[in-house]
Structures are given as C-alpha cells and as structure tokens.
Amino acid sequence: MAEHKPDQMEFYKQEELQQIDLNPPKEGWQDQPADFRPGSWIYPTKPKHLESLGMPNPREWSPADEDWQLPENWQEIIHKKFKELLGKYRSFRIFMDTCVRCGACADKCHFFIGGGDPKNMPVLRAELVRSIYRNDFTTVGKILGRACGGRKLTMDVIKEWFYYFYQCTECRRCSVFCPYGIDTAEITMMAREMLHELGLGVNWIMEPVANCHRTGNHLGIQPHGLKDTLEFFCEDIEDVTGIHIDPPINKKGAEVLFVTPSGDFLADPGTFTCMGYMMLFEEIGLDYTWSTYASEGGNFGLFTSADVMKKLNAKIYAEAKRLGVKYIIGGECGHMWRVLNQYMDTMNGPADFLDVPKSPITGTVFENSRSTKMIHITEFTADLIKHGKLKLDPKMNDHVRVTFHDSCNPARAMGLLEEPRYIINSVCNNFHEMPENTIREQTFCCGGGAGLGTDENMEMRLRGGMPRGTAVRHVQEKYDVNQLACVCAIDRATLVTVCDYWAPGVQVTGVHELVANAMVMKGQKERTMNLRLEPLPGAEEKEANDGES
C-alpha cells in the first residue's frame, strides 16, 4: 500500500479545496474535454505487468501525452468488447436502457460533493458510456445521434473514460438512492474492462494484480517473507502480553483456513489488526491455518475484469481443498468481501467439498454462508462475545474515543452493519456515531477505494475523502473522538491520509486491534502497552511507583 506524503497533502489548502463551484458550465457536457491536471489522474500500468498477465498493448505512455499509442483499429476493438459485454451481462444492458435522468444520484457521489465536476455525478458519469451505447447500439441513436443523447466514439471520449472511470471508487452509494437500482459501480467495471482492451489501465491496480497472479498476494510477498512477518508479529505480541504464539502455516487438516488482505501484513495500522486476529485465535484455541499460497483475500480483479477477478479468487477454494479444511474465515477487508459475498460461489463454486461454517467454540451454524462456506471475522467474533467466550476489559480502551466507518463493500454489498458495532461497544466504553446520513447503507467512501489510493492523484483523494473526513471532524469536535475504526484494509491505509488532512489527531484502527487490546488472555502478564507498543495511560506512573517501592 502506498503511504501518504505530508508535503503533497500540504500542497492542497483546505480553503481552496472547499471553494466548490456547483454552477454547470455554459457549454454542453459533450463539449467539455477532460482536464488532466496534476493530482487528478493515476500513472498508467507499466508494460511489464501487462506482459506478465498477457494483456493487450503494453507500452510506455502517459495520459499527459497527446498520442496514447492505441492500436489503429481501437474503435473496432471497443465496439467489439462493448457488444460482448452487452450480450454477456443482462444487467449491463438494463443499466444502459433504464436511466430516466431523475437526478436522485446526482449529489450522492463523494467526488462530486468534494469537487463539483458535473461528470462525477453518477448519472452523468454513466452517460459517458451510455451515449456511445445509444449512438452505436440502438436504432433511434443510429438515426438521430446527438439529438437523442448519442455521440460518436472519438479519442476524446476514450480520454474522458480513462479520466472519470478512475475517479469512481465503485462504492455504490449512488445505487442506494437510485429508484431503478442502477449499479453505477458495474458500469464503471464495464468501462474499465473496455479500456483494458486498449492497454489503458493504472499501475496502482495492475501491479497488485500481476503480483497476485505471480505470488498469490498483492505485495509480492514470498512464502518465507510471510512466515517471517507473522513470527515478527508474534514477538511483539509476546512483548505486550507475555504469551508466545507459534503461527500455524500451511497446516493440513486444520478446521479453518484464515485468509486476510496482504495489507494487514505490511501496512500500519493493518498490522496491529493482524496481531489482533492471532491473539483472538490463540485465546480460543482455534484449529486454523494461514496459507502462503492463498495469502491474499483482497481482489483487485474487481477493478479490472470479471475474468481476472475469477482467476485471482480461485486460489482460496483451491487451497481450502488442498489443506482439507472444513470452512474459511476471512479478515477485515472491503473489496474482498464484495467478491466473496456476491460473486465467489458463481465464479469459483460450488464449494461442495466444504462444510457450512460452524463455530467450534459456541456451536453457532452460520447459515448465511451456506453457499460460499466462508464467514467474516466480525461475524465470528461477535458470536463469541454474545456467548461469553471472551474475557474483555473495556477499560483498557478508555483512552480511546472511537467512531466507526462503515466500509462500503461490507456495509452495502454484505449488510454487515451491526456486528462491528456490537464488538466495539463490547470492548470500548466511549463509542460515538457519525451523522446518520454518513453511515450504514449511506456510508461515505474513503475516497481511495477501487485502486485510487495512491499518491499521484492526491487532489482527487482529498476531494473524494472530504465527506467522510468532515463527518469524522464533526464527532471529533462534538465528542473529542480520537480513533476511527473500520473493517477494511484499504480504508485503514487511505483513511490515515483523510483524517490527517480533514480531522488531524484522529488515528485509524481496525476493529480487532480494539478487541485484542481489551482481551484478557489466559496466562498473560500485566499489560503496560497496547499493540502499537505505546504505554497505556497510567502505566508509566505505576512503573515508577513500583520502582520506588
């Protein structure tokens, strides 16, 4: 995961970003070319990654170039792929035909709210594709053209697609408000899939895809690297708790395969959440295993194409079968769970070699996962707490005043709304919700999902993160909130930048970091530090007093 750079953030002044002009331009939207200014677009894919994946048109190029070095028959290529997608996905054709431009979604996108660009209204962003559909694939469009909203496929259109469909985080907030249920995220997915036919992708997506194809995870971590990382975490856990953990890796016959995004291995603050998983499983004696082959739960194929998504996801079931586990538990991740909850059974199933997940600690059968055989870690942990299987001391988190960010995909694509809150309220005494229209199904995006969480598009990240950031600042000012919890690896990385900019002083945490800090483990020593190796309030004074005595 890319780290934020304070100097880049300081380049953008809040008072300037907040000067948003919502007056539409005098010219029609079809006559407004994309404005490729620094900070608004992402570096294109390096040729070596496209070559390793066998994808079209690898070359060195830049969106700032006049010539994008497309194949001579690029229009034919797009037309062919467009026709294929219309035939393959009934939903895509419906989305092209049913929009009545009612405007219910217009002010729901965080990029439009934070920037005011009309083409970032979901209705108009979809129109970038829909106008080509009308012109080339409908009878009335072929006859009337622009008079009925059609337009010709030109190079400016392709540049516009690249610019705006990589300013969509596929968060699906707009879809919540659409009276016809149009899923603009899937329109974005279709547009990106067409762009990839011309070799028009961004490196921050395609490098993780290439790494995952090669090594099984986005970061290119080799098996020994993963083993060393987990063992290093165990050393820190022992420093904090006095308890030694030996992480089970590639263990055949374990009851559970645990899969989490690789961001939890190498990107703070996700690393502390990863330690929380290990402490939880150690405390309850769960018979589980990590895998060095299926070492990635996240799936950047969701931002690339259905075929890539299917290929990257296949390793999870393949490894579950090889290791002979009964079912799968997945960690805190966003896009991982849209893929797993909505697509996995269709793409890679049926998983008839696995059992319906059943907690060996409480006996709860997770019937909601009967098809996929995979449950979310917060479902598992909430069930443990409900049945009194964990000894918790919420006072260990009394220095924390926490609010919760509903990560887009677990919230909107999975309906995972209550379990994280139940856990937080069980391990923290100071929990405060953000405003109602910014949470649960209406949650705002972090502004860096769907492969946009890199540094070169910092202006758009800060603009897209403005709605979430200002909601965090609201509870910071009202309740003195100092931590923002979430259940997504991308959020844990990108929200650090959002909070540093819009609500300085608020840290980002995973839910299971909070769980681990509050958990009283059997045989633990008296704790004086949290998982970040920070002294607990009063610990230094107590140590000094003990020393004097």
Side-chain angles (χ1 to χ4, degrees), residues 326-346:
K326 292 182 179 179
Y327 62 95
I328 311 166
I329 297 178
E332 296 181 13
C333 183
H335 53 85
M336 165 180 173
W337 280 102
R338 185 174 188 202
V339 175
L340 300 181
N341 191 54
Q342 295 193 325
Y343 301 128
M344 180 161 74
D345 186 46
T346 304

mmCIF file of all heavy atoms in Angstrom, residues 326-346:
data_model
loop_
_atom_site.group_PDB
_atom_site.id
_atom_site.type_symbol
_atom_site.label_atom_id
_atom_site.label_comp_id
_atom_site.label_asym_id
_atom_site.label_seq_id
_atom_site.Cartn_x
_atom_site.Cartn_y
_atom_site.Cartn_z
ATOM 1 N N LYS A 326 -12.357 -27.428 6.900
ATOM 2 C CA LYS A 326 -13.812 -27.573 6.876
ATOM 3 C C LYS A 326 -14.503 -26.342 6.307
ATOM 4 O O LYS A 326 -15.531 -26.441 5.637
ATOM 5 C CB LYS A 326 -14.334 -27.859 8.284
ATOM 6 C CG LYS A 326 -13.927 -29.223 8.834
ATOM 7 C CD LYS A 326 -14.528 -29.455 10.226
ATOM 8 C CE LYS A 326 -14.151 -30.829 10.760
ATOM 9 N NZ LYS A 326 -14.708 -31.047 12.131
ATOM 10 N N TYR A 327 -13.970 -25.160 6.611
ATOM 11 C CA TYR A 327 -14.547 -23.919 6.085
ATOM 12 C C TYR A 327 -13.513 -22.807 6.188
ATOM 13 O O TYR A 327 -12.371 -23.037 6.614
ATOM 14 C CB TYR A 327 -15.844 -23.543 6.809
ATOM 15 C CG TYR A 327 -15.716 -23.274 8.293
ATOM 16 C CD1 TYR A 327 -15.541 -21.982 8.786
ATOM 17 C CD2 TYR A 327 -15.806 -24.318 9.215
ATOM 18 C CE1 TYR A 327 -15.440 -21.734 10.141
ATOM 19 C CE2 TYR A 327 -15.703 -24.078 10.572
ATOM 20 C CZ TYR A 327 -15.510 -22.783 11.034
ATOM 21 O OH TYR A 327 -15.409 -22.548 12.376
ATOM 22 N N ILE A 328 -13.902 -21.589 5.805
ATOM 23 C CA ILE A 328 -12.965 -20.471 5.680
ATOM 24 C C ILE A 328 -13.467 -19.284 6.495
ATOM 25 O O ILE A 328 -14.664 -18.990 6.510
ATOM 26 C CB ILE A 328 -12.809 -20.047 4.203
ATOM 27 C CG1 ILE A 328 -12.546 -21.267 3.314
ATOM 28 C CG2 ILE A 328 -11.684 -19.023 4.041
ATOM 29 C CD1 ILE A 328 -12.724 -20.982 1.830
ATOM 30 N N ILE A 329 -12.548 -18.613 7.168
ATOM 31 C CA ILE A 329 -12.840 -17.329 7.809
ATOM 32 C C ILE A 329 -12.002 -16.268 7.092
ATOM 33 O O ILE A 329 -10.819 -16.489 6.803
ATOM 34 C CB ILE A 329 -12.515 -17.323 9.312
ATOM 35 C CG1 ILE A 329 -13.396 -18.339 10.057
ATOM 36 C CG2 ILE A 329 -12.699 -15.925 9.914
ATOM 37 C CD1 ILE A 329 -13.095 -18.437 11.551
ATOM 38 N N GLY A 330 -12.620 -15.133 6.807
ATOM 39 C CA GLY A 330 -11.912 -14.038 6.142
ATOM 40 C C GLY A 330 -11.759 -12.853 7.069
ATOM 41 O O GLY A 330 -12.605 -12.591 7.920
ATOM 42 N N GLY A 331 -10.661 -12.121 6.909
ATOM 43 C CA GLY A 331 -10.354 -10.985 7.761
ATOM 44 C C GLY A 331 -11.071 -9.716 7.366
ATOM 45 O O GLY A 331 -11.997 -9.709 6.552
ATOM 46 N N GLU A 332 -10.628 -8.617 7.944
ATOM 47 C CA GLU A 332 -11.242 -7.310 7.720
ATOM 48 C C GLU A 332 -10.747 -6.743 6.393
ATOM 49 O O GLU A 332 -9.594 -6.328 6.271
ATOM 50 C CB GLU A 332 -10.877 -6.354 8.861
ATOM 51 C CG GLU A 332 -11.415 -6.771 10.211
ATOM 52 C CD GLU A 332 -11.051 -5.789 11.323
ATOM 53 O OE1 GLU A 332 -10.589 -4.672 11.005
ATOM 54 O OE2 GLU A 332 -11.220 -6.140 12.490
ATOM 55 N N CYS A 333 -11.632 -6.733 5.410
ATOM 56 C CA CYS A 333 -11.291 -6.193 4.094
ATOM 57 C C CYS A 333 -12.571 -5.747 3.413
ATOM 58 O O CYS A 333 -13.650 -6.252 3.704
ATOM 59 C CB CYS A 333 -10.584 -7.252 3.241
ATOM 60 S SG CYS A 333 -10.053 -6.630 1.616
ATOM 61 N N GLY A 334 -12.447 -4.794 2.494
ATOM 62 C CA GLY A 334 -13.613 -4.265 1.806
ATOM 63 C C GLY A 334 -13.939 -5.004 0.523
ATOM 64 O O GLY A 334 -14.844 -5.830 0.454
ATOM 65 N N HIS A 335 -13.151 -4.736 -0.532
ATOM 66 C CA HIS A 335 -13.461 -5.348 -1.837
ATOM 67 C C HIS A 335 -13.371 -6.857 -1.793
ATOM 68 O O HIS A 335 -14.050 -7.556 -2.550
ATOM 69 C CB HIS A 335 -12.548 -4.779 -2.932
ATOM 70 C CG HIS A 335 -11.090 -4.860 -2.627
ATOM 71 N ND1 HIS A 335 -10.344 -5.975 -2.884
ATOM 72 C CD2 HIS A 335 -10.247 -3.950 -2.085
ATOM 73 C CE1 HIS A 335 -9.083 -5.748 -2.527
ATOM 74 N NE2 HIS A 335 -9.006 -4.538 -2.031
ATOM 75 N N MET A 336 -12.555 -7.386 -0.887
ATOM 76 C CA MET A 336 -12.512 -8.836 -0.680
ATOM 77 C C MET A 336 -13.913 -9.383 -0.445
ATOM 78 O O MET A 336 -14.300 -10.417 -1.003
ATOM 79 C CB MET A 336 -11.623 -9.138 0.521
ATOM 80 C CG MET A 336 -11.737 -10.528 1.114
ATOM 81 S SD MET A 336 -10.600 -10.666 2.528
ATOM 82 C CE MET A 336 -11.056 -12.252 3.178
ATOM 83 N N TRP A 337 -14.702 -8.646 0.347
ATOM 84 C CA TRP A 337 -15.990 -9.179 0.737
ATOM 85 C C TRP A 337 -17.081 -8.927 -0.285
ATOM 86 O O TRP A 337 -18.079 -9.656 -0.301
ATOM 87 C CB TRP A 337 -16.391 -8.678 2.127
ATOM 88 C CG TRP A 337 -15.677 -9.503 3.140
ATOM 89 C CD1 TRP A 337 -14.573 -9.172 3.849
ATOM 90 C CD2 TRP A 337 -15.969 -10.865 3.471
ATOM 91 N NE1 TRP A 337 -14.151 -10.219 4.619
ATOM 92 C CE2 TRP A 337 -15.002 -11.284 4.417
ATOM 93 C CE3 TRP A 337 -16.947 -11.773 3.078
ATOM 94 C CZ2 TRP A 337 -14.990 -12.560 4.961
ATOM 95 C CZ3 TRP A 337 -16.939 -13.037 3.621
ATOM 96 C CH2 TRP A 337 -15.965 -13.425 4.551
ATOM 97 N N ARG A 338 -16.930 -7.952 -1.167
ATOM 98 C CA ARG A 338 -17.915 -7.881 -2.251
ATOM 99 C C ARG A 338 -17.721 -9.078 -3.182
ATOM 100 O O ARG A 338 -18.679 -9.721 -3.615
ATOM 101 C CB ARG A 338 -17.804 -6.584 -3.053
ATOM 102 C CG ARG A 338 -18.947 -6.530 -4.070
ATOM 103 C CD ARG A 338 -19.075 -5.262 -4.845
ATOM 104 N NE ARG A 338 -20.327 -5.332 -5.611
ATOM 105 C CZ ARG A 338 -20.586 -4.629 -6.677
ATOM 106 N NH1 ARG A 338 -19.719 -3.749 -7.111
ATOM 107 N NH2 ARG A 338 -21.718 -4.764 -7.314
ATOM 108 N N VAL A 339 -16.478 -9.393 -3.481
ATOM 109 C CA VAL A 339 -16.190 -10.534 -4.349
ATOM 110 C C VAL A 339 -16.664 -11.837 -3.697
ATOM 111 O O VAL A 339 -17.354 -12.652 -4.314
ATOM 112 C CB VAL A 339 -14.685 -10.610 -4.666
ATOM 113 C CG1 VAL A 339 -14.368 -11.874 -5.464
ATOM 114 C CG2 VAL A 339 -14.235 -9.375 -5.445
ATOM 115 N N LEU A 340 -16.314 -12.027 -2.423
ATOM 116 C CA LEU A 340 -16.622 -13.290 -1.758
ATOM 117 C C LEU A 340 -18.120 -13.461 -1.537
ATOM 118 O O LEU A 340 -18.670 -14.548 -1.715
ATOM 119 C CB LEU A 340 -15.892 -13.365 -0.419
ATOM 120 C CG LEU A 340 -14.366 -13.299 -0.475
ATOM 121 C CD1 LEU A 340 -13.775 -13.400 0.923
ATOM 122 C CD2 LEU A 340 -13.811 -14.409 -1.349
ATOM 123 N N ASN A 341 -18.788 -12.395 -1.144
ATOM 124 C CA ASN A 341 -20.193 -12.495 -0.777
ATOM 125 C C ASN A 341 -21.110 -12.524 -1.996
ATOM 126 O O ASN A 341 -22.148 -13.189 -1.980
ATOM 127 C CB ASN A 341 -20.573 -11.324 0.131
ATOM 128 C CG ASN A 341 -21.938 -11.491 0.765
ATOM 129 O OD1 ASN A 341 -22.216 -12.503 1.401
ATOM 130 N ND2 ASN A 341 -22.799 -10.522 0.599
ATOM 131 N N GLN A 342 -20.723 -11.808 -3.069
ATOM 132 C CA GLN A 342 -21.631 -11.670 -4.205
ATOM 133 C C GLN A 342 -21.238 -12.490 -5.430
ATOM 134 O O GLN A 342 -22.095 -12.785 -6.255
ATOM 135 C CB GLN A 342 -21.750 -10.198 -4.598
ATOM 136 C CG GLN A 342 -22.406 -9.342 -3.510
ATOM 137 C CD GLN A 342 -22.801 -7.980 -4.011
ATOM 138 O OE1 GLN A 342 -22.124 -7.389 -4.839
ATOM 139 N NE2 GLN A 342 -23.905 -7.464 -3.507
ATOM 140 N N TYR A 343 -19.957 -12.805 -5.576
ATOM 141 C CA TYR A 343 -19.520 -13.433 -6.829
ATOM 142 C C TYR A 343 -18.877 -14.813 -6.672
ATOM 143 O O TYR A 343 -18.880 -15.615 -7.595
ATOM 144 C CB TYR A 343 -18.507 -12.530 -7.551
ATOM 145 C CG TYR A 343 -19.006 -11.148 -7.895
ATOM 146 C CD1 TYR A 343 -18.294 -10.008 -7.530
ATOM 147 C CD2 TYR A 343 -20.188 -10.967 -8.612
ATOM 148 C CE1 TYR A 343 -18.743 -8.733 -7.846
ATOM 149 C CE2 TYR A 343 -20.638 -9.705 -8.939
ATOM 150 C CZ TYR A 343 -19.920 -8.598 -8.555
ATOM 151 O OH TYR A 343 -20.358 -7.345 -8.879
ATOM 152 N N MET A 344 -18.287 -15.119 -5.515
ATOM 153 C CA MET A 344 -17.413 -16.295 -5.404
ATOM 154 C C MET A 344 -18.122 -17.603 -5.736
ATOM 155 O O MET A 344 -17.584 -18.432 -6.467
ATOM 156 C CB MET A 344 -16.802 -16.372 -4.004
ATOM 157 C CG MET A 344 -15.867 -17.576 -3.826
ATOM 158 S SD MET A 344 -14.721 -17.442 -2.442
ATOM 159 C CE MET A 344 -15.806 -17.716 -1.065
ATOM 160 N N ASP A 345 -19.310 -17.806 -5.205
ATOM 161 C CA ASP A 345 -19.993 -19.073 -5.435
ATOM 162 C C ASP A 345 -20.284 -19.275 -6.914
ATOM 163 O O ASP A 345 -20.160 -20.383 -7.450
ATOM 164 C CB ASP A 345 -21.284 -19.129 -4.616
ATOM 165 C CG ASP A 345 -21.963 -20.485 -4.698
ATOM 166 O OD1 ASP A 345 -21.257 -21.505 -4.563
ATOM 167 O OD2 ASP A 345 -23.184 -20.528 -4.905
ATOM 168 N N THR A 346 -20.673 -18.196 -7.592
ATOM 169 C CA THR A 346 -20.952 -18.288 -9.030
ATOM 170 C C THR A 346 -19.673 -18.477 -9.837
ATOM 171 O O THR A 346 -19.617 -19.284 -10.773
ATOM 172 C CB THR A 346 -21.668 -17.010 -9.514
ATOM 173 O OG1 THR A 346 -22.853 -16.822 -8.747
ATOM 174 C CG2 THR A 346 -22.031 -17.107 -10.983
#
